[in-house]
């Protein structure tokens, strides 16, 4: 039987392990093998049954290994996924209890508990859509994008590669979130967010960090 490996043993990875233990595929299509993380001792204080079995940068996929990426930092996720993908690692579309609409096109990404994809949504590879989030019809979520818990993404929205939408944010229909952009917690976006920028507030406005001193 195939064995599922979770990349990332932080909070998101541990949540993903919880989801995996409720998935109907567990024990039928795959069992849980462990975590890959650059921090070998990260789970020591939790007393978990599942352990860190290696470093994603150096791990060599074995026959029957399946992978799911569960790292909130999208840049770090890409850094750690790429070496595995280059070695032929097989990532699955991990979707426990997700409601998937008609004609959706799902890449090898992860979907949290009770998230909803409306009809004709496209999701790329290595993305993460958080629990109880809703993605509107005809939207596109690109590779490595991250949508936090309880977000609303309206119809015909494009979430660019590596973009991050933090929990409770709302994205109005037809908005464009640029690649590697960040939408803050609870922000309400009515227009477009340029690539590599951060927006916060309602309505969302661009935010720049000021150096101290």
């Amino acid at each position: 039987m195939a064995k599922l490996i979770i990349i990332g043993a932080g909070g998101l990875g541990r949540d993903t392990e919880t989801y995996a233990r409720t998935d109907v595929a567990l024990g039928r299509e795959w069992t849980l093998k462990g975590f890959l993380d650059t921090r070998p001792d990260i789970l020591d204080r939790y007393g978990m049954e599942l352990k860190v079995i290696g470093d994603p940068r150096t791990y060599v996929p074995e026959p029957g290994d399946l992978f799911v990426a569960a790292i909130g930092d999208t840049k770090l996720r890409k850094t750690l996924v790429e070496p595995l993908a280059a070695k032929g690692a097989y990532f699955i579309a991990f979707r426990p209890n997700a409601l998937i609409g008609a004609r959706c096109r799902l890449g090898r990404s992860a979907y949290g508990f009770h998230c909803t994809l409306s009809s004709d949504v496209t999701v790329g590879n290595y993305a993460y859509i958080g629990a109880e989030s809703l993605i509107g019809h005809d939207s596109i979520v690109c590779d490595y994008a991250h949508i936090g818990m309880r977000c609303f993404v309206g119809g015909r929205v494009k979430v660019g590669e590596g973009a991050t939408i933090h929990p409770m944010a709302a994205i109005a229909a037809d908005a464009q979130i640029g690649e590697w952009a960040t939408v803050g917690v609870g922000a309400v976006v009515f227009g477009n967010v340029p690539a590599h920028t951060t927006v916060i507030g309602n309505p969302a406005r661009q935010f720049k960090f000021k150096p101290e001193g």
Side-chain angles (χ1 to χ4, degrees):
M1 182 177 289
K3 296 181 180 180
L4 183 66
I5 298 173
I6 300 168
I7 304 172
L12 191 62
R14 285 180 276 117
D15 284 346
T16 300
E17 185 226 9
T18 299
Y19 302 158
R21 292 193 183 279
T22 68
D23 195 308
V24 296
L26 179 63
R28 298 183 182 182
E29 299 177 22
W30 42 257
T31 59
L32 287 164
K33 185 171 182 177
F35 295 92
L36 296 181
D37 201 287
T38 59
R39 302 157 293 183
D41 59 350
I42 187 174
L43 297 178
D44 287 356
R45 64 191 178 100
Y46 294 104
M48 294 175 60
E49 174 188 348
L50 213 61
K51 304 299 183 182
V52 174
I53 60 171
D55 186 319
R57 298 168 297 184
T58 58
Y59 184 83
V60 178
E62 299 178 348
D65 282 350
L66 304 175
F67 296 84
V68 58
I71 300 168
D73 182 324
T74 57
K75 291 180 180 178
L76 178 61
R77 188 188 308 161
K78 184 173 184 179
T79 297
L80 298 182
V81 162
E82 283 187 333
L84 284 165
K87 297 172 189 173
Y90 186 83
F91 287 78
I92 64 170
F94 180 74
R95 40 180 273 190
N97 297 306
L99 178 60
I100 308 298
R103 297 173 301 280
C104 288
R105 295 168 291 280
L106 302 183
R108 297 172 183 176
S109 294
Y111 306 83
F113 263 5
H114 305 302
C115 71
T116 299
L117 274 60
S118 300
S119 57
D120 303 291
V121 170
T122 299
V123 180
N125 293 322
Y126 321 121
Y128 198 102
I129 297 176
E132 300 182 12
S133 287
L134 189 152
I135 312 299
H137 63 87
D138 299 291
S139 290
I140 298 172
V141 180
C142 295
D143 295 352
Y144 296 104
H146 183 94
I147 298 173
M149 294 178 64
R150 297 183 179 177
C151 291
F152 171 79
V153 176
R156 300 176 301 278
V157 168
K158 182 177 180 181
V159 181
E161 178 180 342
T164 298
I165 301 175
H166 284 286
M168 306 293 289
I171 314 298
D174 299 305
Q176 305 281 304
I177 310 300
E179 61 182 18
W180 306 102
T182 300
V183 176
V185 174
V188 180
V189 176
F190 291 102
N192 297 337
V193 177
H196 303 282
T197 61
T198 297
V199 297
I200 61 174
N202 180 7
R205 299 180 184 277
Q206 189 169 344
F207 174 81
K208 294 183 178 180
F209 294 93
K210 294 182 179 180
E212 295 183 1

